[in-house]
Amino acid sequence: MQLVVARIGRAHGIKGEVTVEVRTDEPELRLAPGAVLATDPASTGPLTIETGRVHSGRLLLRFEGVRDRNAAEALRNTLLIADVDPDELPEEPDEYYDHQLMDLDVVLADGTEVGRITEISHLPSQDLFVVERPDGTEVLIPFVEEIVTEIDLDEQKAVITPPPGLIDDRAEIAGSREEDGA
């Protein structure tokens, strides 16, 4: 199975290094020197990682054959894809690969159906489940433990306890109620 593990950002310096937006919880495994990664678009790869280092909190990679800023900049926005055994699980018990979460049924703690996960959106601050509801609409569910209280891969479900207004319109908006006697 192929998983997107990073997206190449802008060139860094003049010797072919690029910044990388990491999309894996295991960068030391997936983005190590010597790793050969497929790419999207496929025409830019495969790419072999020659060196990697952290600079000012950002991962910088250099690929074999990429020696200058122009070659590095040509790789911008390329997705890096690793081959992963579909039976492989993350090291931590509360971590999941995207393919494990896709198509899970999303339910409330009382069993009420919310929908099905159709996409996982990886944002800088947190991940979001894109959940398709039975009526065809979509709702975004932050993948944080306060809201997603249980992932049961055997039962193929994610249990959520959403705050008011996340999946319905029952939220109270400050100042929207008329004050008594006004």
Side-chain angles (χ1 to χ4, degrees), residues 30-174:
R30 309 278 181 226
L31 300 172
V36 179
L37 302 168
T39 60
D40 181 9
S43 60
T44 60
L47 294 173
T48 302
I49 297 174
E50 187 172 280
T51 64
R53 66 186 178 102
V54 176
H55 175 72
S56 298
R58 302 272 304 173
L59 179 61
L60 302 178
L61 296 179
R62 180 178 300 138
F63 300 100
E64 289 181 5
V66 178
R67 293 287 171 241
D68 61 35
R69 185 176 186 84
N70 291 338
E73 193 61 38
L75 297 174
R76 190 174 197 157
N77 293 321
T78 298
L79 296 177
L80 298 175
I81 302 166
D83 281 318
V84 177
D85 181 341
D87 296 326
E88 181 181 331
L89 298 175
E91 293 177 9
E92 298 294 322
D94 60 344
E95 291 180 358
Y96 304 93
Y97 291 130
D98 287 2
H99 72 273
Q100 294 175 291
L101 301 171
M102 291 296 294
D103 293 323
L104 289 184
D105 292 322
V106 178
V107 298
L108 299 178
D110 67 5
T112 304
E113 178 184 9
V114 175
R116 180 168 293 224
I117 298 172
T118 58
E119 183 181 338
I120 291 108
S121 180
H122 300 281
L123 302 177
S125 59
Q126 68 191 18
D127 296 336
L128 292 173
F129 291 158
V130 178
V131 177
E132 184 177 325
R133 301 185 70 154
D135 65 5
T137 61
E138 288 184 340
V139 63
L140 301 176
I141 308 289
F143 187 22
V144 294
E145 66 181 313
E146 294 82 14
I147 296 172
V148 180
T149 58
E150 178 185 355
I151 298 289
D152 187 334
L153 296 178
D154 293 330
E155 294 289 323
Q156 287 291 290
K157 70 178 180 180
V159 178
I160 65 169
T161 55
L166 183 65
I167 62 171
D168 56 31
D169 57 4
R170 288 183 285 168
E172 291 186 18
I173 299 171

Side-chain angles (χ1 to χ4, degrees), residues 22-37:
V22 177
R23 295 189 180 175
T24 177
D25 289 336
E26 302 167 321
E28 65 285 345
L29 175 66
R30 309 278 181 226
L31 300 172
V36 179
L37 302 168

